[in-house]
Structure formats: structure tokens, C-alpha cells
Amino acid sequence: MSAELRQLRRRCEAIAGRLPLMRPFDAHELCRRVAEQRGRPIHLTPVTGLSEAHGVWLSTDTADLIFYEDATALPHQEHIILHELGHLLCEHYRTGIPEAGHLRSLLPNLDFKVIRTMLARTSYQAVEEQEAELLASIIRHQAEHLAPNDIGGRIRAAFDWPRRTRG
């Protein structure tokens, strides 16, 4: 593993370690808890036909909006939500503007000038996509390794410590 990838993984693990994870895991509940911690709402909106993107995160002056593909399996929807939440948690910002038609289909009631003002960004760089994807996977992994009412399990999950085996 390269030094850059190790550094990226450590950063993602640190971010995930500060999250209010729960078991059983629920991406919607995690977003609600993150929004509460940040004092800023996160609105999750299922949409159909997002093409290859599957999800979009938009940040406005008052809230964060996560759009995710509705026409896919629930585990995939949750991963899309976690990926977009990853962009938010990593504080990624885009440069440029997405295609106008695509945005109008997501936000039909907003004037495109408002949308352009909200965004002022278009596509993430490869490292930002990699970071968001890695963070989504780490969040899911840590949440799956939490044991209900097991503080030791939660600590191990936060630090990814394996259980000691006798042998």
C-alpha cells in the first residue's frame, strides 16, 4: 500500500471514528445524527434516473441535500448515501457547474441561477472520489463490527482492533 493510500485510509478511519454509529446500521439514521451534531439539516431525497452518478450531494447556505438513486437495491442505496455523506464529511468542494438539464430534473422548482449559485462546482477529482468511496466502506465496516451494548466492541470497531485469540 502506498504512503498516500495509507494516509488517506488513516484520515477516513479518523473521520469514521468520530461518527455516532449504531447497530443495526441505518444510513438515514446516521445522516440524522450527523446533521444533529453539525446543527445543520441533511435532507435525503430518492430520485430515479441519476445515470452513472447514482448520487449527488449539494450544499446550500442552510442545508445539505443528498440525492440518491431510488431504482436500486437497498444496500446500494445506503452505499450511495454513505458515499455522498463522505464528500460532505471530507469537506469536498467542486469546481464548475453540472449539466443544467440534470440539475433541473433533480430540482425542478428551483431557478437554475439559484442552482448555479448553490453549487459553483461540478466534478470531484479522482482523489476526492476515492476518499468518499473509502470512507463509505469504512463506515459500513465499523458499523457492522459494533456489538449491541458492547463498549469493547465499539472501541475495537473505532480503532479496527481485532479480537485477541488464544492459541
Side-chain angles (χ1 to χ4, degrees):
M1 184 182 309
S2 73
E4 293 86 14
L5 188 54
R6 279 194 302 276
Q7 182 178 2
L8 185 67
R9 182 172 181 85
R10 281 193 299 272
R11 175 172 149 74
C12 290
E13 287 172 340
I15 292 168
R18 293 188 298 268
L19 294 175
L21 299 178
M22 76 295 300
R23 185 170 178 106
F25 182 75
D26 181 292
H28 292 258
E29 176 62 17
L30 177 60
C31 287
R32 189 196 65 72
R33 290 178 180 190
V34 168
E36 187 176 279
Q37 280 185 339
R38 296 173 72 229
R40 180 179 163 85
I42 298 172
H43 301 288
L44 299 176
T45 305
V47 294
T48 302
L50 282 176
S51 69
E52 68 276 351
H54 299 295
V56 175
W57 163 56
L58 303 176
S59 181
T60 70
D61 289 341
T62 58
D64 289 291
L65 314 170
I66 295 178
F67 298 91
Y68 62 95
E69 179 60 55
D70 190 37
T72 190
L74 181 60
H76 189 216
Q77 288 177 9
E78 286 202 333
H79 188 80
I80 294 165
I81 291 167
L82 292 177
H83 177 97
E84 299 306 326
L85 182 64
H87 284 301
L88 180 155
L89 293 169
C90 293
E91 299 178 350
H92 294 161
Y93 297 99
R94 301 176 178 200
T95 57
I97 301 296
E99 180 184 324
H102 186 108
L103 289 175
R104 282 194 183 99
S105 69
L106 291 175
L107 304 167
N109 298 324
L110 284 181
D111 180 346
F112 187 65
K113 290 178 185 174
V114 173
I115 294 170
R116 290 179 68 91
T117 301
M118 280 184 353
L119 294 177
R121 53 197 204 265
T122 185
S123 61
Y124 296 111
Q125 296 177 9
V127 69
E128 291 171 329
E129 286 299 328
Q130 185 179 27
E131 187 172 39
E133 192 67 16
L134 181 58
L135 181 53
S137 297
I138 289 171
I139 291 169
R140 186 57 155 203
H141 175 78
Q142 288 186 1
E144 287 174 358
H145 287 85
L146 291 177
N149 302 319
D150 174 14
I151 190 69
R154 289 190 298 237
I155 291 170
R156 278 190 300 280
F159 292 100
D160 201 25
W161 291 343
R163 293 181 185 257
R164 292 182 187 218
T165 57
R166 296 177 189 236

